[in-house]
Amino acid sequence: MAANETAIGSVAPVPYDPELVDGLAAFLDLVEIIPLRADTILANRAHFATIIPPMAAQTEGRAVTFEDRTIPGPAGAPAVEITIVRPAAPAADPAPAVLSIHGGGMVLGTRFFGTPELIDLAERHGVVGVAVEYRLAPEHPGPAQAEDCYAALLWMAAHADELGIDPERIIASGQSAGGGLSAAVALLARDRQGPRLAGQLLGCPMLDDRNETVSARQYDGIGAWDRNNNDTAWTAIAGDDRFTDRVSPYAAPARATDLADLPPAYIEVGAAETFRDEAVDYASRIWATGGQAELHVWAGGYHGFHGFSPDAVVSVAANAARESWLRRVLRLDG
């Protein structure tokens, strides 16, 4: 369906930026081999495993090192696998750090889906990154995913000296499901008086199980991570609790009734994607408490546009804005 057509039972979608159309087509060719439905989750996982390069390939020729570890998981839960990415020449002073949480709707993907960001930050800014392998739904309903990610944050803070990081300069960062889980980790850290995050980077975040916004209906059967994929994922995560007040805010952060006293948030989203309206609402609710949120809604942007269309003018602007926030929040030099 063309971007300017009206989907049945929906409203007309916002058109894509013309510079992004080829990138969206490439994205769909790569990931949309099998429609994501309850009975195709495992097949989609297997496909994702073929398109995520191993760390050896990702780091080849880059001025970084990586190390896999197994750390304690949440109380009563299995251990958690992580990958630590460091600059090849660590600085003498404690470094800023990023807890990287991968996307995939909380039903797909691995921690290596988000490691390119860590490699880039380590190489350019000396950042130490930790990518976390959280449990996936439906085998592990929410909020198991957030609990695993929070366990990784606790481990990072407790091992700050060993990692060579500054515990006051840790952010949680992710795209899509990773963005939603970064918001959940910020909520957990506040509610449990855990490590104080310096910030939360919420890239096109997956926040609300209800999937009923105008933007969700605009991208019903259209584009990257459409309303149908989102519906499949949230049913896997929340099960019979979906659409009720029993859904944990640590699974769906939009369910949180109090967004006060959270670390500064960077929220970015495309104007032409499912998650636009819930991202805008989340920023607005943070502002309503007197909190800090920097919101960017990029005109004509599809879900994850700056990754697959990096040379488009809007992508260059989006990457520059994110870089600016990271420099300010992590107090990066250079």
Side-chain angles (χ1 to χ4, degrees), residues 18-30:
E19 270 200 292
L20 301 178
V21 172
D22 289 345
L24 174 58
F27 177 89
L28 294 174
D29 284 345
L30 185 64

Side-chain angles (χ1 to χ4, degrees), residues 49-307:
T50 69
I51 65 175
I52 302 173
M55 281 299 287
Q58 290 190 34
T59 59
E60 185 177 3
R62 307 294 295 271
V64 300
T65 64
F66 72 91
E67 174 190 1
D68 296 327
R69 291 258 195 115
T70 301
I71 63 171
V80 174
E81 294 182 348
I82 62 170
T83 294
I84 305 165
V85 179
R86 298 182 174 93
D93 297 326
V98 173
L99 172 63
S100 172
I101 306 175
H102 71 82
M106 292 184 253
V107 297
L108 307 174
T110 73
R111 65 190 184 276
F112 305 117
F113 201 33
T115 42
E117 175 197 29
L118 297 185
I119 293 166
D120 179 66
L121 289 172
E123 194 172 52
R124 292 193 300 114
H125 296 304
V127 172
V128 174
V130 172
V132 56
E133 193 74 47
Y134 58 82
R135 288 170 288 171
L136 299 176
E139 298 91 335
H140 305 282
Q145 299 74 33
E147 293 286 0
D148 287 352
C149 296
Y150 182 64
L153 174 64
L154 291 176
W155 183 87
M156 288 175 71
H159 292 78
D161 288 345
E162 175 193 347
L163 293 168
I165 64 174
D166 180 350
E168 296 185 356
R169 288 194 291 163
I170 301 174
I171 69 167
S173 175
Q175 299 288 314
S176 194
L181 288 169
S182 294
V185 167
L187 290 168
L188 282 164
R190 179 200 65 183
D191 294 347
R192 297 179 183 175
Q193 291 78 54
R196 179 70 180 176
L197 288 168
Q200 48 180 324
L201 198 164
L202 315 183
C204 47
M206 180 180 176
L207 299 165
D208 195 340
D209 66 287
R210 289 161 288 198
N211 199 25
E212 293 174 344
T213 63
V214 170
S215 59
R217 295 184 182 279
Q218 285 177 304
Y219 297 93
D220 188 339
I222 302 170
W225 198 259
D226 74 337
R227 187 175 184 230
N228 295 291
N229 287 2
N230 204 38
D231 192 63
T232 296
W234 277 117
T235 297
I237 296 159
D240 292 340
D241 288 345
R242 194 176 171 209
F243 302 111
T244 75
D245 292 340
R246 296 190 302 274
V247 175
S248 168
Y250 308 135
R255 294 286 189 164
T257 57
D258 179 10
L259 297 184
D261 300 319
L262 291 171
Y266 182 88
I267 303 174
E268 61 179 2
V269 70
E273 70 156 295
T274 301
F275 293 144
R276 181 194 66 221
D277 294 346
E278 59 197 70
V280 171
D281 180 69
Y282 203 73
S284 297
R285 291 176 57 211
I286 291 174
W287 291 325
T289 71
Q292 296 184 51
E294 181 170 327
L295 172 67
H296 295 269
V297 182
W298 296 103
Y302 63 85
H303 185 66
F305 67 93
H306 50 74

